[in-house]
Amino acid sequence: MLRDTQFNSYNVLKTAGTGWVVMFMPVLASIGPVTVFADERDSREKRNVVARTGHTKYLISNCVFFMIAGALVYFLGCFVFAVIAKTAFPDVSAYQKEMIMWNMMSEFSEDVLVGKAFAEFGTVGAFAVRLAGCFIYGALSVLPAMILS
């Protein structure tokens, strides 16, 4: 496995967040908040909350709840996968510098923030930046479900 640089833990994490995952993850991330919101609407509890706090504060709190819940679902899934990838696949430092240099430099020329994190903190920094992106993507991906429900 150390002959092919595509099997390092960072590349596994990077390529896992593409394709079908990007399409279906917003649906999976919004299942929990939508069911809670629908149950609240069906039980007619909304009128008691709106009477106490106002409609604007109610909508803002629901929006914040949707975003945090969706972000946590997506982030925790990516975090568990990152831990598995970090333990199951070899680290970038296990490869010879000549073998890995062209691969990582072409990667970091596309994503400058990840490149700076990798240069300063190693693969842990690159993983952290990728996971922060997962958190933001999860938070923003549930907004259409909130608008439609």
Side-chain angles (χ1 to χ4, degrees):
M1 201 184 296
L2 288 177
R3 293 186 190 270
D4 190 4
T5 59
Q6 294 298 319
F7 290 112
N8 67 55
S9 58
Y10 177 75
N11 276 344
V12 170
L13 180 68
K14 181 189 74 159
T15 56
T18 59
W20 293 96
V21 173
V22 177
M23 289 176 44
F24 288 115
M25 203 56 199
V27 174
L28 295 175
S30 63
I31 287 174
V34 168
T35 55
V36 170
F37 185 69
D39 287 343
E40 182 181 6
R41 186 183 60 219
D42 292 343
S43 70
R44 306 270 186 210
E45 275 301 309
K46 179 180 173 181
R47 64 180 174 202
N48 296 334
V49 175
V50 170
R52 281 190 315 239
T53 62
H55 194 65
T56 305
K57 287 183 181 178
Y58 174 75
L59 289 177
I60 291 172
S61 67
N62 270 344
C63 180
V64 169
F65 166 71
F66 263 75
M67 291 178 73
I68 290 174
L72 283 177
V73 166
Y74 195 66
F75 173 78
L76 290 176
C78 288
F79 181 75
V80 168
F81 183 78
V83 168
I84 292 171
K86 187 83 170 136
T87 58
F89 292 94
D91 193 32
V92 175
S93 61
Y95 293 95
Q96 295 175 0
K97 268 195 171 176
E98 295 80 28
M99 290 176 64
I100 201 71
M101 191 59 71
W102 66 272
N103 187 15
M104 298 307 270
M105 287 305 132
S106 65
E107 164 66 28
F108 297 146
S109 64
E110 298 171 7
D111 198 347
V112 177
L113 186 62
V114 175
K116 287 182 181 178
F118 181 77
E120 194 161 329
F121 300 108
T123 54
V124 175
F127 275 109
V129 171
R130 289 281 180 196
L131 289 175
C134 289
F135 188 84
I136 293 169
Y137 180 74
L140 296 178
S141 67
V142 297
L143 288 179
M146 184 194 77
I147 292 169
L148 292 174
S149 63

